């Protein structure tokens, strides 16, 4: 009856069901440790909860668990200069959190609402971050209505008149710490209010308890006061809010130049809402702010938030909620969003502002967090007259394309989204957003549903929303409605009317306000697909000349363009990128090569573009984007493109659109008067031309390097430089919203190049030379002959071009997905790149805001590199074929590759012969190589005298710091995988299992080795008794530091060390780096930059036999290192001793260098960047590399590296599994394989319950050896990952509800989740009650053998399923069975809506006709009803004949001939038997 519900990084409500044996472990997605949470620190299992009165008197110090145990009780100007957002400032302010709200539908203020919100907040501590002092939080806060009773009590004591609730604004203000600065700030604030005609009624010092604040938070703690102002000149409530908004903006402008400007911050300034927040942990918020303990603090609603910032040094202002929103998630497109908002500043107007729009600019702040900027934009829309729900729909639209429900029932909602698609780029990324303007409270989820959100309503008129269930004590009999927010869904509560609107009701109400559909029909045009050219436009010689001039190599044409044209997909290469950075290379590179794509962070899951492409779109709108604060048909006057990749005919269609008034700008620069300064001059002229064209009404700028004839003295400007420069120029001059940019270029042929152009502002690209290259390739004699002989699939000339564009589009989706971005329109202009090797002059001109930490080429140097390509087209001795630069594959005379055949031969000789001399030759080879990585520009120097090498720590100690990379079985052969693991175990280092697990035979030490061979591992040689082939690092989750795959280890070492030391965390973690390590010098460089351990990747495979054939991806490795073919694996030459020898050589090299430097231990140089000095190296392209960033230091940790590495494993504090394992009956049952039954209470803070219990059983008995039985029942609300990693013999039952990832990684056992009795709602309608309820997104993802029965699921059910059986007795979401290659699914379709929801790429749909399938289905439902008492299941069984025809069976090809899926199985079986017999 069960399955592996969710093994993916989906953050939606827990899937659940009656769960049975599951043989396969799923990836563990570890949650944030909650060691400091009150629910853990103050837990006292088995003790009685304090009485309610005691909890109220001192509730701030009571654990959330104690409160959760209680019974439920209730009381009834001048335009500012615009500039692009700076990625340096943005990168540090992102997060993922826990949020929720409580609201009273009668709009009755109550202290209990505030109390409940704080209790819930305390139960979210594990969703937040904590500082090194264990007390300073990333931030927590609470938004509520203004507590007028509390403030009137204060006013009365101050001798003030009672506050007018209608016309009084209250500001919650963080003021400078310094007393004098604080008084200056207060004076400026008061003056602005007075100048605006508002009366300042007084300042109130907010009472707080500073003793509960952590050390780091205390150091930056502001003075916290409240200001009360009377807005007498406005009567309308919305006008009052607008006036207060203007005042806040004027205060920000007035204090901009003050030394204390960054210390002045308004948490809120409103006549309706107030925000209490700080750099505090969840449980501390109510203890810190004494107001929150005062029963006069009453509010009809409260939004609470616990912040977990992934990449920030937390600050008080960045705690949440913000002024309108509480945001759990990350905005991945933030830099683009900020740039576009700044571009809008010149055009945003609305009558409600009465001509004062210039006073409320700017609309964004790169120094603030992504959440703060989203809040700022939402607030602008709100104050301009939009409702909160409408603002959220505009900013965070759902995936409305191909949505069966919306297209059939709510077409007006689709029209709304289509209308705003061209007006506002989505703020894209995983997000749960809670919002309130004081009159409406609501929540919405991002289009992917990548954050969890539950809601419930009670009979006493309360509505709750939270990231988790179980955060507030609840009388289940009062719950009348439960649900979950799925992808893109929304819920709102109107506090004035008491109306609760669920998703489609909200959206229909908003979308019906204007005739968006008719406006779209009236004004929006689409470019229809235009046929590809069927003949070449250039002769062969002209094509060759163009390819040479624009930087093509033979590899680009043959391995990239031709592969895409023939196969319709991106080419695949292997062995990584081991050539020098473009700036270090002696070969010319195109400008694109200086840019590296960023990708999603740890808390920010990437998207699956193959199976979940329904949430992604490459659509883009062309034309002017008008004033978004006004609505009308003119805003829809744009052209829609289905893709940013255009052929020549589609570009021509755009150029013929008279409404766009397109302007073609030629992108060449003139060098007749010399190269120096020519590129800069040409760019400025180009920008002026673009500026003039836009001011004259052009809505489309086409930047083109197309020319009738190429001229030697007029090289093409790098198209990326041209696009970026015009994009930035138009932003800075307030014109960017008036026109779109399209690149018509010969310089673009790879997906990375398309991504760069779009990321820096191009809306579309026409790659005319790449398309011409496709045509020429198809018509060449070589291609024709290959196709004629059947050695290549036949494609037409049109198909070749179509394939190329298909490959580009697929590649763009992949790039977007890695960053967690769904929409190309949001990626456009988002600048999600880091730059390596361009100077600030170039960055400021065209890529303003992007990070280029090491400096690099000037404009003139860039022009010189561009010219080096251009001259090849005009040189008399130019070859008649393209040059092979050797960027992809190593070749004589080509680009240097660090992993080259000569290097591998020298290394093989050294390790196989165990020859010191041979290793010295290998060292000399590395020392004489060209500059390849940044660390090659550095050297180690010490002022100490050398010491004898005998005084240096032994090599056996050094090698314990060595690790090998995570290489999965399948990527390399079993022989390689095990040889590496054995070698690392011999030296005490660490190998990494990669993904996929290990054969248990590898876990035990060998005891049967003779002459280097073992019957246990017969495929290996060179073995020793005592060897183990298990990996020390079991990779259950792919965790990548920011840019780890892109930046060199030197950068990462500095980044990691600096950040950890600055935040007081360095002693708590071991810092491991890798990045092309090949020698002891590489290790020492990394050590000096702060690394404790050192990872070796490709070189470890080379040491075990790899010959760098670079055909790993073809499964044809000639020495069986990276092949699964048995005959090739038999050639594997490696033995573990070879890798041991290599690492000992490296360690001895480290020892020798330490002795030369005068140090005895590696510990002594770790973090010593002062030992690193810049070499005097003459680079071919520039002398402007700046290495200061690599040499920066934040000091040394308090402990030595060895102390850090040898410290005890950190504890997560007390956990429920420890209580279970401490139970004498359970421990006896495990020890003696008995049966036992026990019951325990469970709370949402109890996460991964049963995981440790399962681990104890598995460690003692293995996967299936336990003969006892643990029958454990839990009552309450389970935290995340309930029932994870269960083993056979564990029967787990939960009476209540659970959060995400129920049953994750089950390897056996049984898991049943049922609702409590006497609920006030129908369980079948609840999203959070499992078995008799629905499950969340991605239910049964990657299920391999488990069986499950549930009563409804979210999107992506049965995704990537490979086995087992899933039965769904209710509605499902979209994209069912995507990537499902095994197992069966039975889905009840009572209203005939299932068919469009199933992804039929692999599976077929059929009715349940096979008798065996009918028996399987009925048997599962019978067992399910027996376990759960499901009324729905019982009804189906009673009326079996009526319900059976309503079930669909989803069958992948692997199951088509199974008895359960094949109605004629017996006949097929008999026929097969006859065939076999005949063959005999």
């Amino acid at each position: 009856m069960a399955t592996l519900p969710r093994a993916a990084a989906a953050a939606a409500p827990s899937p659940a069901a009656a769960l049975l044996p599951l043989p396969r472990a799923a990836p563990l997605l570890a949650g944030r440790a909650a060691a400091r949470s009150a629910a853990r620190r103050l837990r006292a299992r088995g003790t009685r909860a304090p009485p309610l009165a005691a909890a109220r008197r001192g509730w701030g110090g009571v654990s959330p668990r104690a409160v959760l145990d209680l019974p439920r009780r209730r009381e009834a100007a001048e335009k500012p200069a615009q500039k692009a957002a700076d990625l340096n400032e943005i990168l540090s302010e992102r997060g993922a959190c826990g949020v929720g709200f409580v609201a009273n539908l009668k709009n009755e203020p109550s202290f209990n609402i505030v109390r409940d919100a704080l209790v819930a907040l305390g139960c979210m501590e594990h969703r937040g971050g904590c500082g090194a002092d264990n007390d300073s939080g990333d931030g927590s806060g609470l938004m509520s209505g203004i507590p007028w009773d509390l403030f009137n009590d204060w006013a009365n004591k101050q001798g003030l008149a009672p506050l007018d609730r209608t016309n009084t604004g209250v500001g919650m203000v963080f003021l400078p710490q310094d007393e004098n600065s604080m008084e200056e700030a207060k004076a400026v604030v008061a003056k602005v209010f007075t100048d605006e005609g508002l009366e300042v009624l007084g300042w109130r010092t907010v009472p707080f308890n500073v003793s509960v604040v952590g050390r780091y938070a205390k150091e930056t703690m502001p003075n916290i006061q409240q200001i009360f102002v009377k807005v007498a000149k406005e009567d309308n409530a919305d006008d009052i809010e607008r006036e207060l908004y203007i005042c806040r903006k004027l205060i920000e402008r007035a204090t901009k130049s003050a030394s204390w400007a960054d210390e002045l911050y308004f948490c809120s300034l409103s006549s309706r809402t107030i925000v209490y927040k700080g750099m505090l942990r969840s449980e501390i918020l109510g203890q810190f702010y004494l107001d929150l303990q005062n029963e006069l603090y009453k509010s009809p609603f409260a939004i609470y938030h616990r912040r977990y910032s992934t990449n920030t040094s937390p600050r008080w202002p960045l705690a949440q909620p913000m002024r309108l929103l509480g945001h759990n998630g990350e905005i991945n497109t933030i830099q683009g969003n900020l740039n576009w908002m700044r571009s809008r500043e010149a055009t945003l107007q609305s009558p409600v502002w009465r001509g004062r729009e210039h006073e409320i600019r700017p609309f964004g702040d790169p120094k603030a967090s992504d959440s703060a900027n989203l809040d700022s934009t939402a607030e602008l829309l709100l104050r301009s007259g939009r409702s909160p729900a409408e603002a959220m729909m505009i900013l965070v639209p759902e995936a409305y394309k191909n949505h069966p429900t919306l297209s059939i029932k709510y077409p007006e909602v689709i029209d709304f989204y289509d209308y705003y698609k061209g007006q506002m780029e989505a703020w894209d990324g995983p997000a749960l957003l809670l919002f309130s303007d004081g009159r409406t409270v609501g929540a919405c989820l991002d289009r992917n549903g990548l954050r969890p959100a539950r809601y419930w309503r009670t009979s006493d008129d309360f509505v709750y929303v939270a990231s988790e269930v179980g955060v507030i004590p609840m009388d289940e009999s009062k719950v009348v409605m439960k649900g979950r927010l799925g992808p893109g869904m929304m819920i709102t509560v109107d506090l004035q009317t008491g109306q609760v609107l669920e998703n489609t009701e909200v959206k229909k109400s908003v979308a019906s306000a204007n005739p968006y559909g008719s406006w779209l029909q009236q004004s929006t045009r689409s470019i229809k697909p235009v046929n590809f050219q069927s003949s070449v436009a250039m002769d062969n010689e002209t094509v060759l000349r163009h390819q040479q001039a624009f930087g093509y190599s033979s590899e680009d044409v043959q391995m990239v363009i031709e592969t895409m044209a023939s196969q319709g997909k991106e080419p695949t290469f292997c062995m990584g990128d081991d050539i020098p950075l473009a700036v270090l290379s002696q070969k010319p590179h195109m400008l694109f090569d200086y840019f590296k794509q960023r990708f999603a962070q740890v808390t920010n899951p990437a998207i699956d573009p193959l199976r979940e492409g329904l949430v992604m779109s490459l659509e883009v709108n062309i034309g002017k984007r008008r004033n978004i604060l006004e609505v009308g048909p003119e805003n829809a006057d744009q052209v829609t493109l289905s893709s940013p990749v255009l052929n020549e005919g589609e570009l021509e269609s755009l150029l013929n659109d008279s409404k766009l008034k397109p302007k073609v700008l030629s992108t060449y620069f003139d060098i007749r008067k010399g190269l120096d300064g020519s590129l800069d001059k040409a760019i400025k002229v180009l920008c002026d031309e673009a500026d003039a064209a836009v001011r004259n009404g052009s809505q489309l700028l086409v930047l083109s390097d197309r020319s009738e004839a190429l001229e030697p003295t007029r090289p093409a400007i790098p198209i990326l430089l041209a696009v970026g420069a015009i994009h930035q120029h138009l932003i800075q001059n307030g014109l960017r919203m008036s026109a779109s940019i399209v690149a018509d270029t010969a310089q673009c042929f790879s997906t990375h190049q398309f991504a760069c152009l779009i990321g820096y502002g191009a809306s579309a690209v026409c790659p005319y030379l790449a398309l011409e290259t496709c045509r020429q390739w198809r018509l060449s004699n070589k291609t024709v002959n290959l196709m004629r002989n059947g050695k290549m699939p036949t494609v037409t000339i049109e198909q070749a071009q179509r394939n190329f564009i298909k490959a580009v589009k697929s590649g763009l989706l992949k790039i977007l997905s890695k960053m967690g971005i769904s929409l190309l329109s949001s990626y456009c202009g988002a600048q999600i790149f880091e730059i390596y090797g361009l100077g600030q002059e170039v960055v400021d001109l065209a890529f303003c805001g992007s990070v280029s930490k090491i400096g690099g080429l000037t404009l003139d140097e860039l022009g010189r590199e561009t010219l080096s390509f251009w001259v090849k087209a005009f040189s008399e001795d130019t070859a008649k074929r393209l040059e092979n630069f050797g960027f992809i594959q190593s070749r004589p005379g080509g680009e240097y590759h660090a992993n080259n055949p000569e290097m591998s031969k020298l290394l093989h000789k050294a390790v196989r012969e165990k020859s010191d001399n041979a290793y010295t030759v290998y060292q000399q080879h590395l020392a004489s190589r060209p500059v390849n990585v940044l660390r090659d520009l550095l050297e180690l120097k010490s002022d100490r005298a050398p010491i004898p090498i005998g005084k240096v720590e032994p090599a056996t100690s050094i090698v314990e710091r060595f690790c090998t990379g995570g290489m999965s079985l399948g990527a390399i052969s079993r022989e390689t995988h095990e040889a590496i693991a054995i070698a690392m175990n011999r030296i005490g280092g660490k190998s990494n299992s990669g993904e996929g697990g290990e054969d248990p035979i590898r876990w035990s030490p060998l005891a049967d080795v003779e002459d280097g061979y073992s019957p246990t591992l017969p495929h290996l040689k060179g073995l020793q008794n005592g060897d183990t082939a298990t990996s020390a690092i079991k990779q259950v989750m792919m965790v990548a530091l920011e840019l780890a795959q892109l930046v060199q280890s030197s950068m990462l070492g500095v980044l990691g060390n600096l950040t950890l030391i600055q935040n007081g965390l360095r002693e708590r973690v071991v810092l491991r780096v890798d990045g092309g390590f090949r020698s002891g010098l590489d290790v020492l460089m990394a050590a000096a930059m702060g690394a404790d351990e050192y990872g070796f990747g490709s070189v470890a495979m080379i040491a075990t036999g790899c010959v760098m054939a670079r055909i790993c991806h073809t499964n044809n490795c000639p020495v069986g290192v990276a092949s699964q073919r048995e005959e090739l694996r038999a050639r594997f030459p490696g033995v573990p001793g070879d890798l041991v020898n290599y690492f000992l050589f490296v360690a001895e090299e480290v020892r020798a260098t330490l002795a030369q430097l005068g140090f005895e231990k590696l510990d002594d140089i770790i973090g010593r960047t002062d030992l690193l000095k810049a070499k005097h190296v003459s680079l071919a392209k520039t002398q402007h590399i700046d290495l200061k960033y690599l040499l920066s230091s934040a000091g040394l940790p308090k402990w030595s590296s060895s102390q850090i590495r040898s410290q005890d494993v950190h504890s997560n504090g007390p956990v429920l599994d420890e209580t279970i394992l401490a139970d004498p009956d359970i421990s006896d049952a495990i020890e003696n394989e008995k049966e036992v039954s026990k019951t325990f209470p469970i709370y949402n803070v109890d996460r991964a319950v049963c995981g440790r219990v399962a681990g104890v059983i598995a460690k003692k008995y293995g996967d299936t050896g336990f003969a006892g039985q643990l029958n454990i029942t839990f009552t309450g609300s389970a935290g995340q990952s309930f029932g994870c990693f269960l083993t056979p013999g564990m029967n787990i039952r939960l009476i209540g509800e659970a959060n995400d990832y129920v049953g994750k990684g089950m390897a056996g056992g049984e898991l049943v989740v049922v609702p409590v009795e006497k609920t006030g709602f129908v369980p079948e309608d609840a999203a959070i009650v499992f078995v008799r309820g629905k499950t969340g997104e991605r239910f049964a993802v990657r299920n391999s053998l488990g069986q499950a029965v549930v009563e409804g699921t979210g999107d992506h059910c049965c995704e990537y399923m490979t086995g087992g059986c899933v039965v769904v007795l209710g509605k499902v979401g979209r994209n069912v069975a995507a990537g499902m290659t095994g197992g069966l699914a039975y889905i009840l379709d009572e209203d005939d809506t299932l068919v469009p929801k199933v992804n039929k790429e692999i599976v077929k749909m059929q009715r349940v006709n096979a008798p065996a399938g009918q028996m399987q289905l009925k048997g599962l439902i019978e067992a399910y009803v027996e376990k759960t008492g499901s009324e729905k299941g019982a009804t189906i069984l009673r009326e079996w004949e009526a319900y059976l025809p309503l079930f669909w069976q989803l069958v992948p090809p692997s199951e088509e001939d199974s008895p359960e899926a094949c109605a004629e199985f017996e006949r097929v079986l008999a026929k097969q038997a006859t065939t076999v017999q005949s063959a005999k």
Side-chain angles (χ1 to χ4, degrees), residues 274-289:
I274 192 166
V275 174
Y276 282 72
K277 67 179 185 179
M279 213 170 116
L280 309 163
R281 292 186 293 112
S282 298
E283 62 169 330
I284 296 302
L285 183 73
Q287 299 176 39
F288 175 73
Y289 284 113

Side-chain angles (χ1 to χ4, degrees), residues 211-488:
S211 67
V212 299
V213 180
R215 176 166 60 90
Y216 292 118
K218 199 176 296 182
E219 289 174 358
T220 57
M221 179 179 156
N223 279 300
I224 307 171
Q225 296 194 19
Q226 289 160 343
I227 186 170
F228 296 81
V229 295
K230 186 171 183 179
V231 190
K233 65 179 183 178
E234 302 289 355
D235 295 321
N236 179 278
D238 289 334
D239 287 336
I240 290 173
E241 289 297 300
R242 256 187 294 277
E243 178 58 41
L244 294 171
Y245 176 80
I246 290 173
C247 287
R248 198 186 80 226
K249 289 287 191 174
L250 291 174
I251 290 167
E252 291 170 1
R253 290 162 70 99
T255 59
K256 183 171 58 178
S257 59
S259 60
W260 40 260
D262 290 340
E263 298 182 67
L264 175 65
Y265 174 80
F266 277 80
C267 303
S268 57
L269 178 60
S270 171
S271 62
R272 297 175 185 157
T273 62
I274 192 166
V275 174
Y276 282 72
K277 67 179 185 179
M279 213 170 116
L280 309 163
R281 292 186 293 112
S282 298
E283 62 169 330
I284 296 302
L285 183 73
Q287 299 176 39
F288 175 73
Y289 284 113
L290 303 184
D291 284 350
L292 299 180
Q293 302 177 30
N294 192 324
E295 296 199 9
L296 290 175
Y297 195 121
K298 299 176 182 178
S299 172
F301 79 94
I303 292 177
Y304 54 89
H305 188 282
R306 177 66 168 106
R307 187 169 189 241
Y308 171 27
S309 179
T310 46
N311 305 309
T312 185
S313 299
R315 292 187 280 142
W316 282 76
L318 296 183
Q320 295 191 47
M322 296 297 174
R323 293 152 186 148
L324 176 68
L325 304 176
H327 173 216
N328 169 14
E330 297 181 81
I331 303 301
N332 298 324
T333 54
I334 183 63
Q335 190 169 12
N337 293 128
L338 284 172
N339 283 343
W340 292 119
M341 285 307 297
R342 294 206 171 179
S343 302
R344 287 186 174 92
E345 291 180 2
T347 60
L348 290 186
Q349 292 181 322
S350 173
V352 301
W353 295 111
R354 304 171 189 173
R356 302 187 68 181
E357 288 86 353
H358 64 284
E359 295 178 312
I360 60 175
R361 299 171 185 146
F363 301 133
D365 180 5
K367 295 180 181 178
S369 65
D370 55 343
S371 303
N373 280 293
L374 176 60
D375 180 83
S376 175
T377 304
E379 189 182 21
L380 171 67
L381 293 175
L382 190 71
R383 300 297 170 227
S384 299
R386 305 298 175 89
S387 69
E390 184 178 8
M392 292 297 100
M393 288 174 66
I394 293 171
L395 297 173
V396 190
E398 67 181 306
Y400 63 96
K401 297 286 187 182
N402 304 314
H403 196 304
T405 303
L406 288 182
S407 59
I408 296 169
K409 296 183 178 180
Y410 306 99
E412 63 271 44
V413 176
I414 292 180
D415 292 337
F416 175 92
Y417 287 131
D418 269 333
Y419 174 83
Y420 278 106
K421 172 172 65 74
Q423 306 307 308
M424 169 66 74
E425 61 292 336
W427 293 61
D428 205 358
L432 166 59
L433 292 158
L434 274 63
F435 53 85
S436 180
D437 62 351
R439 296 184 298 192
T440 298
V441 187
C444 65
L445 200 59
D446 70 274
R447 64 196 293 122
N448 292 293
L450 293 175
R451 290 291 183 267
R454 316 291 184 82
Y455 62 86
W456 55 104
R457 179 179 178 177
T458 62
S459 58
D460 53 352
D461 293 317
F462 284 87
V463 175
Y464 304 83
V465 171
S467 294
E468 295 187 8
V469 295
V471 295
I472 295 178
M474 188 65 56
D475 181 348
E476 291 292 333
S477 66
K478 289 186 176 181
V479 178
V480 297
M481 177 183 76
K482 281 193 176 186
R484 82 184 212 294
L485 290 183

Side-chain angles (χ1 to χ4, degrees), residues 1081-1092:
L1081 182 60
D1082 292 334
V1083 170
L1084 289 162
M1085 290 278 186
M1089 294 178 194
D1092 301 303

